[in-house]
């Protein structure tokens, strides 16, 4: 499936490599907008609930399942298109569309209106992740890919955090509707910049291989691509690991601000000022630390060691994550939250980098889309929705504290994800050889 001959970079290749820093920066910025537009509802949920008279289950649907259904299912056919055509064009169009739909959310008058607008956001964002990861994998060699993906993952961590900061401040002064418009509209201008400046690299450039076929030529069929991932047991465990971890993570980011308001006595503005902004930078530090440690481990021991690094960081974070739900003292609860965040954000970049390393060149966007399909439907879709449903079920017994126990229940899935990271490391070492570099 992959070409094995060494490819000598031509002038176009050298230009792509010279500008790869700019390309990575723009993709990270677009990812920032993607997650800001996706996660801003977290800080606005209590205001939206009061204004539109919604239940926790409905809020869970809006922040998770409804968005995820369209985001995940459309990601795969768009990724198939990205594996055979211009990825930069797909990214620019997607960015413009989801940004416009985010702004449109601000005009919603009821649950149905907001649901339809959120579906639009999901449709637009479906076209961003897989082609972006494919481009980064082509621009950075395996020994630098985890760090590059870690920088890219800053978009997730900073976008989610700063989205809550911006949303909280704007909503406090002007209402939740204006907040959605403020974060949505700038993305349209960014889409134009993306179209003009993002480099479209040759496929397989950073691997030193000739492309399997020119753009537009027939590529591996979708079902064969799915089968290839299914039969790669190491990749399958990585997908399972990031899916379970994402489910817990989306539950925390989706409901954390509401939990802080209901159980810890914080206001929406307090969460924006004292939690969201510091958490964004702590998570960003975690991502960079994870990427650096994983690349360092890969150089010393092999690519497989990256999975063990992520596993260890998740193990260290776990008891502090649980402490967040068991401590009533505000200072201690937030301290546990921040300590957990130092280690918890490290998994995203390295996991995607390992999957891209295992994927055939012409299936990189497809495997990224399959990973996003799992993390979106099961992680983003079920995480916030499950917390909302469990919270409503426990409300007769625990009252206002039902959300605390709902979030704790989902957090207890973390050891399951840790197991998959361990197993992926074992299988990668076998698959790639003792050096684990393949």
């Amino acid at each position: 499936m992959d070409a094995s001959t060494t490819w000598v970079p031509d002038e176009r290749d050298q230009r792509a490599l010279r500008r790869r820093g700019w390309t990575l920066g723009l993709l990270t910025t677009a990812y920032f907008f993607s997650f800001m537009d996706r996660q801003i509802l977290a800080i606005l949920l209590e205001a939206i609930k009061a204004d539109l008279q919604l239940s926790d289950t409905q809020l869970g649907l809006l922040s998770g399942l409804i968005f995820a259904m369209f985001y995940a299912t459309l990601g795969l056919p768009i990724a198939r298109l990205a594996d055979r055509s211009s990825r930069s064009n797909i990214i620019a169009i997607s960015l413009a569309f989801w940004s416009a739909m985010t702004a449109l959310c601000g005009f919603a008058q009821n649950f149905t209106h907001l649901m339809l607008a959120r579906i639009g956001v999901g449709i637009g964002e479906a076209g961003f992740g897989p082609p972006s990861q494919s481009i980064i994998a082509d621009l950075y060699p395996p020994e630098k890919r985890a760090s590059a993906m870690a920088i890219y993952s800053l978009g997730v961590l900073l976008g989610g955090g700063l989205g809550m900061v911006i949303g909280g401040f704007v909503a406090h002064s002007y209402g939740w509707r204006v907040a959605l418009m403020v974060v949505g509209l700038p993305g349209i201008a960014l889409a134009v910049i993306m179209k003009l400046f993002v480099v479209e690299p040759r496929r397989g450039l950073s691997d030193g291989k000739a492309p399997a076929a020119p753009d537009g030529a027939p590529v591996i069929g979708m079902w064969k691509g799915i089968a290839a991932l299914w039969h790669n047991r190491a990749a399958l465990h990585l997908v399972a690991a990031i899916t379970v971890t994402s489910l817990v993570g989306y539950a925390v980011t989706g409901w954390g601000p509401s939990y802080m308001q209901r159980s810890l006595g914080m206001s929406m503005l307090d969460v924006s000022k004292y939690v969201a902004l510091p958490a964004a930078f702590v998570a960003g530090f975690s991502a960079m630390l994870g990427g650096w440690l994983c690349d360092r481990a890969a150089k010393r021991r092999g690519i497989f060691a990256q999975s063990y690094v992520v596993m260890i960081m998740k193990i260290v974070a776990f008891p502090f994550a649980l402490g967040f739900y068991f401590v009533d003292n505000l200072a201690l609860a937030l301290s546990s939250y921040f300590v957990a965040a130092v280690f918890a954000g490290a998994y995203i970049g390295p996991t995607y980098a390992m999957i891209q390393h295992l994927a055939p060149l012409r299936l990189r966007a497809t495997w990224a889309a399959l990973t996003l399909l799992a993390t979106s439907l099961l992680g983003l879709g079920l995480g916030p929705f499950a917390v909302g449903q469990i919270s409503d079920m426990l409300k007769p017994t625990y009252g206002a504290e039902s959300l605390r126990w709902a979030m704790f229940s989902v957090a207890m899935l973390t050891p399951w994800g840790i197991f998959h990271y361990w197993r992926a490391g074992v299988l990668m070492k076998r698959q790639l050889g003792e050096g684990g570099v393949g």
Side-chain angles (χ1 to χ4, degrees):
M1 287 182 287
D2 292 346
S4 59
T5 56
T6 301
W7 183 265
V8 179
D10 59 18
E11 183 178 345
R12 176 190 170 193
D13 296 333
Q14 292 170 356
R15 176 175 174 270
L17 292 174
R18 284 196 304 269
R19 293 181 56 182
R20 68 182 180 183
W22 285 101
T23 299
L24 179 59
L26 285 171
L27 291 174
T28 302
T29 303
Y31 206 11
F32 170 89
F33 275 86
S34 168
F35 231 77
M36 182 170 63
D37 292 356
R38 186 187 314 178
Q39 293 297 117
I40 188 175
L41 281 191
I43 193 66
L44 305 178
L45 285 182
E46 296 302 298
I48 293 172
K49 179 177 183 177
D51 189 8
L52 301 183
Q53 298 296 300
L54 304 181
S55 68
D56 280 353
T57 298
Q58 287 176 311
L59 293 176
L61 285 170
L62 288 172
S63 59
L65 189 59
I66 287 175
F67 171 91
M69 286 174 59
F70 289 87
Y71 172 69
T73 54
L74 288 176
L76 188 54
I78 295 175
R80 297 303 297 154
L81 181 63
D83 273 331
R84 70 185 70 193
S85 61
S86 172
R87 294 164 288 185
S88 58
N89 286 342
I90 293 172
I91 290 169
I93 294 170
S94 298
L95 172 56
F97 185 78
W98 91 60
S99 299
M101 295 306 295
T102 299
L104 194 60
C105 287
F107 293 93
Q109 297 300 311
N110 52 48
F111 174 77
T112 302
H113 291 167
L114 193 53
M115 176 187 70
L116 292 174
R118 287 290 289 174
I119 288 172
V121 177
I123 292 172
E125 292 197 15
F128 176 72
S132 297
Q133 290 183 39
S134 178
I135 286 177
I136 294 170
D138 284 337
L139 288 175
Y140 288 86
E143 66 274 12
K144 296 182 179 179
R145 201 168 286 154
S147 292
M149 288 291 187
I151 293 172
Y152 172 69
S153 73
L154 289 176
V156 172
L157 303 165
L158 296 179
L162 293 179
M164 288 195 288
V165 173
I166 296 169
F169 275 93
V170 175
H172 177 75
S173 300
Y174 302 102
W176 65 270
R177 300 178 186 278
V178 175
L180 286 163
M181 298 176 198
V182 166
V183 300
L185 292 176
I188 299 174
L190 179 61
V192 177
I193 298 173
M194 295 285 290
K195 169 61 181 172
L196 295 175
F197 294 104
V198 166
V199 171
E200 181 75 25
R202 190 184 304 280
R203 298 176 200 271
L205 172 61
S206 66
D207 297 273
K209 298 176 182 178
D215 283 351
V219 294
I220 302 169
M222 181 178 71
W223 293 111
K224 289 185 178 180
I226 294 173
L229 176 58
W230 179 259
H231 288 101
N232 190 312
R233 310 311 288 179
L236 204 59
H237 275 283
L238 286 171
V239 173
I242 195 174
T243 298
V244 175
T245 305
S246 295
L247 190 153
V248 176
Y250 280 123
V252 174
T253 56
W255 285 102
S258 290
Y259 167 69
M260 294 175 197
Q261 292 173 67
R262 294 186 196 181
S263 296
L264 299 182
M266 301 183 72
S267 68
M268 179 174 65
L269 195 59
D270 285 340
V271 174
S272 296
K273 288 194 295 185
Y274 304 123
V275 179
L277 185 59
F281 288 105
V282 168
F285 169 78
S286 175
M288 297 304 296
L289 176 64
W292 179 77
L293 289 174
C294 283
D295 276 341
R296 191 175 173 86
K299 289 177 182 178
R300 289 188 174 186
R301 297 181 176 272
I303 298 295
F304 76 92
Q306 295 181 334
S307 195
Y308 294 151
V309 171
V310 175
M311 176 191 72
I312 292 169
M313 296 186 80
K314 298 301 294 181
I315 290 172
V316 173
F318 184 51
F320 294 98
L322 295 184
F324 178 52
Y325 304 114
F326 280 107
V327 179
D328 287 322
N329 179 276
L330 178 60
L332 290 177
L334 293 182
S335 296
S336 292
Y337 176 82
F338 283 118
V339 172
V342 170
F343 301 96
Y347 74 98
I348 303 174
T351 306
Y352 281 126
M354 286 184 281
I355 293 171
Q356 289 291 296
H357 181 79
L358 294 172
L361 295 184
R362 278 279 172 174
L363 286 176
R364 278 179 167 166
T366 298
W367 280 29
L370 289 169
T371 305
L372 289 172
L373 178 67
T375 58
S376 299
L377 282 181
L378 301 177
L380 175 58
L382 291 185
F385 177 67
V387 170
Q389 279 228 308
I390 295 172
S391 177
D392 281 340
M393 289 169 57
L394 296 179
K395 193 169 184 179
T397 304
Y398 294 99
E401 292 300 302
S402 64
L403 183 58
R404 180 197 299 265
W405 291 104
M407 294 184 70
F408 168 75
S409 300
V410 173
M412 287 303 296
L413 294 174
T414 299
W416 185 16
I418 291 172
F419 162 78
H420 284 295
Y421 276 114
W422 167 76
R423 190 61 184 158
V426 171
L427 294 172
M428 284 178 70
K429 186 174 183 179
R430 294 179 188 170
Q431 179 177 328
L432 301 178
E434 287 302 310
V437 293

